Amino acid sequence: MNEHRKKIIYFLIILIILSLFYYQKTFNIFQVDLNHQNREEFIQFECVRASELCGGWGDRLKGILSTYALSMVIDRKFTIKMLRNCDLRKILKPNEYNWDHDQVPDNVKSKEVNIGWEFSYYDKLKKDLSLFENLKNFQLIKVRAGIQFGNVLRENKNLHKKIKRLGYNVSEFHIVLSLHKWYNQLFKLNNESQKKYESLLKRLKPNDKSKLICVQIRTGDPDSSVRRDYYTRIEYWRFINKNILNSSDSKNYKIFVTSDYEIVKEEAQSYFPNNEVIYNKDSSFHIDKQGDDECRGLESVIFDFHMMQNCDIGVISHSGYGLLALLNRPDPFKELYVYSKEHKHLSLTHNNQSRYFSPWKNLSWIKYSKLGDIVFF
């Protein structure tokens, strides 16, 4: 009896195995996409088309660093494909992190997320990341953005554990607070620019007593009918003379000037006869207004930006380029002065900031010493 029961059980087991094999072959009921499991997934910042609006280097860097922050929390490999004006790889090389877009396989299934300058994404990403998490079937997500959407990731409570596992305090997972670290993880100058950088740095800071004042003045877009007038620019020179070059060691200061208007840099020399004024000639570009074969212009803009990591004091306009350049220092808030507007009486958010910037009048010098001192979304 026992032998008979054993034979029946063996027969049933074999029957079940054969049935499963049949249904697997016929209906793929247990099929696992091993290629999907093992494949590397990417999220890529893009600025490639000749006709698209990417913004200047400041806006592009906001998008790059936000996408980099996002890549960390959604576990995707981060890459950059920036070909508009010039292939970025001709100017900046991957440093600690390889962001070269050539590592993305050809003909991958991709999806584009065009954030642009749409601040409503801030509210969406504060709550959840379904916008990106629902794209698991796409090996490549292409992001176009000119705003700091990555800053709100720390406000998403669902990401707090992940951010801590990445080695960050949740409060510090922010572009301004992590800018110097992230920028240097991603970028280094090409060999030729690095040699130029080292040579200029020796001139700017020749000894331990040397101090560097960096001035960045944004006068307005090149195609704007109204540039910020001459008398406004004088306020920068007056501020430096009154508040910085008024001490016994003023002879140790050198002044590095950058601007989107070449005449501004030339003016500075006449205002500071006792201090060396240094600037790069022909670097006054807004790169989104240049043509699509403008490596020289883009390289000059990025070179100036890279150099300002070494500033001891910043005296700047309220612009994305200038703010990011001076915040990209080991101590981002060290002696940083912004010609801007008071705002704390306005209860501003990213949703209503337009009323702050228009009209752009009644400016004063504000010391930027912590997040919130300046409107910078």
Side-chain angles (χ1 to χ4, degrees), residues 83-143:
L83 307 179
R84 172 79 196 278
N85 304 108
C86 175
D87 188 335
L88 183 64
R89 297 172 299 178
K90 294 181 179 179
I91 302 167
L92 293 173
K93 301 293 185 183
N95 194 15
E96 299 171 13
Y97 187 100
N98 182 18
W99 46 263
D100 192 324
H101 63 84
D102 279 346
Q103 65 192 288
V104 179
D106 294 333
N107 302 317
V108 296
K109 189 177 182 182
S110 64
K111 179 70 174 179
E112 183 176 312
V113 178
N114 189 8
I115 293 174
W117 285 262
E118 182 52 65
F119 286 96
S120 63
Y121 282 94
Y122 283 35
D123 295 321
K124 295 175 184 177
L125 296 176
K126 281 181 184 179
K127 299 174 183 177
D128 66 78
L129 296 181
S130 59
L131 173 67
F132 297 95
E133 290 172 340
N134 291 340
L135 301 178
K136 293 186 182 297
N137 290 331
F138 297 92
Q139 192 173 353
L140 172 63
I141 301 175
K142 301 176 180 180
V143 176

Side-chain angles (χ1 to χ4, degrees), residues 39 47 65 82 87 114 174 192 208 242 253 360:
R39 74 183 185 182
C47 169
L65 295 174
M82 191 175 126
D87 188 335
N114 189 8
H174 187 284
E192 183 179 345
D208 293 339
K242 180 180 178 181
Y253 285 91
W360 191 243

Side-chain angles (χ1 to χ4, degrees), residues 225-242:
S225 59
V226 179
R227 284 184 178 268
R228 295 173 191 170
D229 61 39
Y230 171 73
Y231 294 101
T232 299
R233 302 201 297 269
I234 291 178
E235 292 300 321
Y236 293 79
W237 317 138
R238 288 174 175 168
F239 179 85
I240 292 170
N241 269 325
K242 180 180 178 181

Side-chain angles (χ1 to χ4, degrees), residues 253-275:
Y253 285 91
K254 293 182 185 289
I255 303 171
F256 182 60
V257 183
T258 68
S259 179
D260 58 353
Y261 191 33
E262 198 72 11
I263 292 175
V264 170
K265 296 184 284 189
E266 297 167 0
E267 286 175 359
Q269 288 184 313
S270 64
Y271 274 90
F272 305 107
N274 299 321
N275 298 85

Side-chain angles (χ1 to χ4, degrees), residues 20 52 131 175 186 348:
L20 290 173
E52 73 179 301
L131 173 67
I175 288 175
L186 293 174
L348 291 172

Side-chain angles (χ1 to χ4, degrees), residues 291-302:
D292 288 312
D293 187 19
E294 292 289 345
C295 283
R296 183 181 61 84
L298 179 59
E299 186 168 16
S300 296
V301 167
I302 291 176

Side-chain angles (χ1 to χ4, degrees), residues 259-313:
S259 179
D260 58 353
Y261 191 33
E262 198 72 11
I263 292 175
V264 170
K265 296 184 284 189
E266 297 167 0
E267 286 175 359
Q269 288 184 313
S270 64
Y271 274 90
F272 305 107
N274 299 321
N275 298 85
E276 186 177 10
V277 175
I278 302 168
Y279 58 86
N280 285 317
K281 292 184 178 180
D282 301 322
S283 64
S284 301
F285 297 93
H286 187 287
I287 58 175
D288 206 50
K289 306 298 180 180
Q290 304 301 305
D292 288 312
D293 187 19
E294 292 289 345
C295 283
R296 183 181 61 84
L298 179 59
E299 186 168 16
S300 296
V301 167
I302 291 176
F303 182 87
D304 282 356
F305 183 95
H306 202 85
M307 182 56 68
M308 285 188 276
Q309 295 179 80
N310 302 286
C311 304
D312 296 295
I313 301 173

